[in-house]
Amino acid sequence: MSEIQLSEEDRAFIEEEVRAGVYRDADEAVHTGLRLLKSKEGKIAELRRLIQEGIDDIEAGRVIEFESADDLTRYIMNMSEDKRDAAAQTEINPARASRPSRRL
């Protein structure tokens, strides 16, 4: 593997982080940076997938239109209440959560 060239600014930053005890050495600092970059790339890929899912829904006509922000807020609050009620029902009767629904 070829050597990595760092700018003086990057080198100084890593050295300061090591001196401050944030990392044991430069290798750990670089490894942590790469791990964060991979995590960021994964989040970007997930965001792109969700955006495409939204575009597909719009193109297929799977949309809900609201007259006002208040209507949207009420819709979201109702969804939240429905989920909370379903979770509470599962806590009361855990067997319901594991049973498949008979409705089609």
Side-chain angles (χ1 to χ4, degrees), residues 15-35:
E15 288 172 2
E16 179 58 35
E17 294 293 292
V18 171
R19 266 195 303 276
V22 176
Y23 303 104
R24 286 187 314 266
D25 53 32
D27 286 341
E28 183 182 14
V30 171
H31 175 73
T32 300
L34 290 172
R35 193 165 20 95

Side-chain angles (χ1 to χ4, degrees), residues 83-96:
K83 283 188 174 192
R84 187 182 61 232
D85 292 347
Q89 184 61 36
T90 300
E91 288 177 12
I92 293 169
N93 188 358
R96 283 187 73 152

Side-chain angles (χ1 to χ4, degrees), residues 37-56:
L37 181 59
K38 288 178 186 177
S39 173
K40 176 185 167 192
E41 292 300 320
K43 290 175 184 176
I44 289 171
E46 175 67 3
L47 180 58
R48 286 187 178 130
R49 186 192 68 73
L50 290 170
I51 289 170
Q52 187 58 55
E53 185 179 313
I55 290 169
D56 293 346

Side-chain angles (χ1 to χ4, degrees), residues 70-98:
D70 288 339
D71 289 346
L72 172 60
T73 300
R74 275 191 291 280
Y75 178 80
I76 292 170
M77 295 304 290
N78 286 338
M79 286 178 43
S80 175
E81 289 171 8
D82 290 348
K83 283 188 174 192
R84 187 182 61 232
D85 292 347
Q89 184 61 36
T90 300
E91 288 177 12
I92 293 169
N93 188 358
R96 283 187 73 152
S98 61

